[in-house]
Amino acid sequence: MVDTPGTLSQLLAAHDESVITELVLIGNLNDKDIATLNTLPNLAVLDMEHVNLEVLPKEAFRAQTSLTSVKLPKTLKTIEIDAFCQCSGLISVTIPDSVTSIERAAFYHCDNLADITIPTSVAKIGSYVFDGCTSLSSIVIPDGVTSIEMCTFQACRSLTSVTIPDNVTEIGKNAFSHCTSLTSATIGVRVTSIEDKAFYACSELISIYCKAQTPPSVGADTDTFSYVSASLYVPTGSKMAYAAAYGWKDFKTIVETEF
């Protein structure tokens, strides 16, 4: 129990910190306490569900490779930049429904992260957040998200399908590039812009369902869909528009369908 923020180091002073592998915390933490946690060399399982903390600070657990499982505070609102960057041993993270923002590279190269659930409360997923999460096999993007930022899911090599919500208007550069197991992608109805290399080298992509009646603009580098041989499914009445549009006309198979 941490009654006073900033006192965790004092509470742990009487313990051999090298033998601490599991820790359940209750009470009030601040950035100083999070820094203390990042000095525990063998900490694997961390439960902070009943901690009062609204912002997980920048680089909170960066490169803490011993971590395998984390439960975040139920009061948390923001996961800051690089919070779990390069936590290569991390397998699971419980994110509470209070979180609204996951900032840049928060889970960058968490190679073993496989069963993360993004709560519906999240409205922002920053660039590079899941870049290099090679074990991530499925993801549900919340409806409140309006932009898929640059490299957000780049090199998620185990991801097999993705549905981009209808509130998203832009898919950023390299957003899904090198997702080499991706077989199906559904692009929401409000997407107006897909930037360079967004689906570059998604070599197993079989089906792309683009729900927008008007073809979204595509990056000028002509490689947005390079090394992709998928069939393209578009709304009824829009095939001719897609067949004439830059970045879309190169699809060999364009099929009209009802969404």
Side-chain angles (χ1 to χ4, degrees):
M1 179 72 178
V2 184
D3 290 320
T4 305
T7 62
L8 180 60
S9 61
Q10 299 170 35
L11 296 174
L12 294 177
H15 301 273
D16 180 354
E17 295 182 356
S18 66
V19 302
I20 298 175
T21 59
E22 298 187 19
L23 194 59
V24 178
L25 292 174
I26 299 172
N28 306 290
L29 299 188
N30 61 16
D31 290 6
K32 181 181 177 181
D33 298 312
I34 298 298
T36 296
L37 290 173
N38 206 13
T39 66
L40 302 179
N42 297 306
L43 182 63
V45 179
L46 176 61
D47 184 342
M48 297 193 295
E49 272 195 320
H50 300 291
V51 160
N52 293 318
L53 186 71
E54 291 192 354
V55 178
L56 190 66
K58 178 180 178 181
E59 300 183 350
F61 298 101
R62 183 186 177 99
Q64 192 163 352
T65 56
S66 62
L67 275 179
T68 60
S69 175
V70 175
K71 292 183 178 180
L72 294 173
K74 291 183 177 180
T75 56
L76 197 67
K77 294 181 179 179
T78 301
I79 301 173
E80 271 290 358
I81 295 170
D82 292 338
F84 294 96
C85 176
Q86 296 177 321
C87 289
S88 57
L90 192 62
I91 297 171
S92 67
V93 177
T94 302
I95 302 175
D97 291 339
S98 55
V99 171
T100 59
S101 178
I102 304 174
E103 297 295 329
R104 178 172 57 83
F107 297 97
Y108 177 83
H109 272 275
C110 290
D111 301 335
N112 286 298
L113 188 64
D115 57 347
I116 190 165
T117 300
I118 304 174
T120 57
S121 55
V122 171
K124 179 184 179 182
I125 303 174
S127 58
Y128 297 91
V129 164
F130 296 105
D131 185 0
C133 291
T134 54
S135 297
L136 193 65
S137 59
S138 65
I139 196 77
V140 176
I141 301 170
D143 289 337
V145 172
T146 58
S147 175
I148 308 297
E149 298 191 14
M150 180 172 69
C151 300
T152 299
F153 297 98
Q154 179 174 243
C156 289
R157 300 187 190 279
S158 297
L159 193 64
T160 58
S161 67
V162 65
T163 297
I164 296 164
D166 286 337
N167 286 325
V168 170
T169 60
E170 179 183 46
I171 302 174
K173 185 175 181 180
N174 288 98
F176 296 95
S177 68
H178 295 95
C179 289
T180 51
S181 294
L182 193 66
T183 60
S184 173
T186 299
I187 298 171
V189 69
R190 291 186 179 87
V191 171
T192 59
S193 173
I194 303 176
E195 296 188 7
D196 295 335
K197 296 186 177 180
F199 292 92
Y200 178 81
C202 293
S203 54
E204 297 299 312
L205 198 53
I206 297 171
S207 304
I208 297 175
Y209 301 88
C210 193
K211 296 165 68 176
Q213 192 75 33
T214 300
S217 65
V218 171
D221 282 353
T222 72
D223 53 10
T224 300
F225 297 104
S226 290
Y227 305 102
V228 171
S229 57
S231 296
L232 175 63
Y233 297 85
V234 300
T236 300
S238 65
K239 180 177 179 177
M240 289 184 63
Y242 277 88
Y246 176 84
W248 299 102
K249 61 184 179 182
D250 295 329
F251 281 88
K252 294 180 180 179
T253 303
I254 302 177
V255 181
E256 291 189 352
T257 189
E258 293 288 340
F259 288 108

